[in-house]
Amino acid sequence: MNVRGDPRERDAVSPGRRDTGWRLGRRSRKGVLVVHIVSAGAWLGIDVVLAILVFTALVTDDVDTAASSYRVLTFTLWPLFLTGLTCLASGVTLGLGTKYGLVRYWWVAVKLVLNVVFVALVPLALRRPVLEAAEYGRDLTAGEPTFPVTELLFPPIVSLSGLLVAVILAVYKPSGRLRERGRP
């Protein structure tokens, strides 16, 4: 990473604009961008797997399939949390180390908020229903069915929708700053 070092490594600074601080070099920026894109893709993929497991468990008539789907859900928690944290860390690094900043453009701020909220929701709101679903899966296997876990119906839908919004914002980069330059 470059901190005002070799000018060949630095991102171009437009004329009249002060270089106000640390910027990622071209190679570093591309490396962090790759990490960000891959982690976001993995996050989307894990959410798709979560959705498939939840919907399979809820709609199947086969008790063994439902029980297996519910029990496997627990394996999605850590990968989901870690890919979200990786995406958050790489996004913050990109925000701080490029011209976009963390809260300079509204679309970057929206992505940041979505990322923080979804990462926080994994241990705070998703963990308990997933563990309850695994317990329900064990009960199904033991032949002691209780009420199905329907709390897990909306998290994959909401998460996939929010992540899709973040991807669209990243690709289209709609114009508009949160604050105009030179104004307090």
Side-chain angles (χ1 to χ4, degrees):
M1 287 188 218
N2 180 36
V3 180
R4 294 187 189 187
D6 185 0
R8 293 172 296 178
E9 285 284 316
R10 227 181 347 192
D11 289 334
V13 177
S14 61
R17 179 177 167 240
R18 273 188 6 224
D19 189 7
T20 57
W22 173 78
R23 292 281 188 241
L24 285 168
R26 181 171 297 174
R27 287 183 182 165
S28 299
R29 182 187 60 78
K30 286 182 179 182
V32 175
L33 185 60
V34 166
V35 169
H36 189 63
I37 292 169
V38 169
S39 63
W43 194 358
L44 278 165
I46 295 167
D47 263 343
V48 167
V49 169
L50 181 69
I52 289 169
L53 289 170
V54 167
F55 288 110
T56 298
L58 289 174
V59 301
T60 187
D61 291 331
D62 183 28
V63 173
D64 291 333
T65 301
S68 297
S69 295
Y70 281 129
R71 286 192 315 258
V72 172
L73 283 174
T74 58
F75 293 107
T76 62
L77 286 175
W78 277 108
L80 195 63
F81 185 66
L82 293 176
T83 56
L85 280 179
T86 304
C87 193
L88 179 61
S90 59
V92 167
T93 303
L94 286 169
L96 293 174
T98 64
K99 66 181 179 179
Y100 296 111
L102 280 181
V103 290
R104 187 173 296 151
Y105 293 91
W106 69 267
W107 63 271
V108 177
V110 168
K111 284 182 58 179
L112 178 63
V113 168
L114 283 171
N115 200 317
V116 168
V117 167
F118 287 159
V119 167
L121 285 176
V122 171
L124 297 177
L126 189 60
R127 185 175 177 272
R128 186 188 53 76
V130 165
L131 294 176
E132 287 175 1
E135 186 63 37
Y136 177 71
R138 283 189 284 280
D139 291 347
L140 280 177
T141 303
E144 305 168 6
T146 57
F147 294 105
V149 181
T150 56
E151 289 179 38
L152 290 173
L153 190 59
F154 294 104
I157 295 170
V158 171
S159 183
L160 284 171
S161 301
L163 292 174
L164 182 60
V165 166
V167 167
I168 290 169
L169 289 173
V171 170
Y172 286 100
K173 296 176 180 51
S175 63
R177 290 176 173 246
L178 289 174
R179 289 185 302 149
E180 290 300 320
R181 215 174 258 243
R183 290 186 185 169

